[in-house]
Amino acid sequence: MKHHYNPAHFGIRTKQWKLIFFYGVDEKPGKGAAPTPPAWELYDVKSDPLEMNNLYGDPQYTDIAAQLKEQLKATRAEVKDSDADYAHVAGIISRHWEGGEEEAIRLSHKAARNLINNKRQKGETE
């Protein structure tokens, strides 16, 4: 999926929920792509199968997100999915596992502004 510029991520899916953690990239991943900030996404795949409404950060879904994070942490441990060899990834995950939404939102807005500015500099329209 490199051609789609998807940032690195991991997650968990149940019959109803999908929780994804994008740990982003610090560098430009390819032509036309911009650095991506760390971010969480939570979807109710039963009522939103196209995943159009990210519920992460909505107070109504705090408990669900917390339960899924615990399941995700346990599953990663069970399958020995470790970031031990990737200190930079472990640091990003550590900083954004609990909280960090404000920083992720700030970084996301910064990345979006950079992408828009890059397009303008190249004469591309939005």
Side-chain angles (χ1 to χ4, degrees), residues 11-53:
I12 191 165
R13 187 180 192 281
T14 68
K15 289 181 180 182
Q16 181 166 0
W17 303 101
K18 184 175 186 180
L19 178 72
I20 311 161
F21 179 65
F22 293 92
Y23 49 91
V25 294
D26 294 332
E27 303 158 3
K28 199 170 189 176
K31 184 178 178 184
T36 56
W40 286 97
E41 293 183 7
L42 173 66
Y43 298 101
D44 180 340
V45 293
K46 282 190 175 181
S47 66
D48 181 17
L50 298 178
E51 301 175 10
M52 301 299 288
N53 185 25

Side-chain angles (χ1 to χ4, degrees), residues 2 21 39 50 73 83 95 108:
K2 184 176 179 180
F21 179 65
L50 298 178
K73 185 186 278 187
D83 304 304
R95 284 193 307 276
S108 178

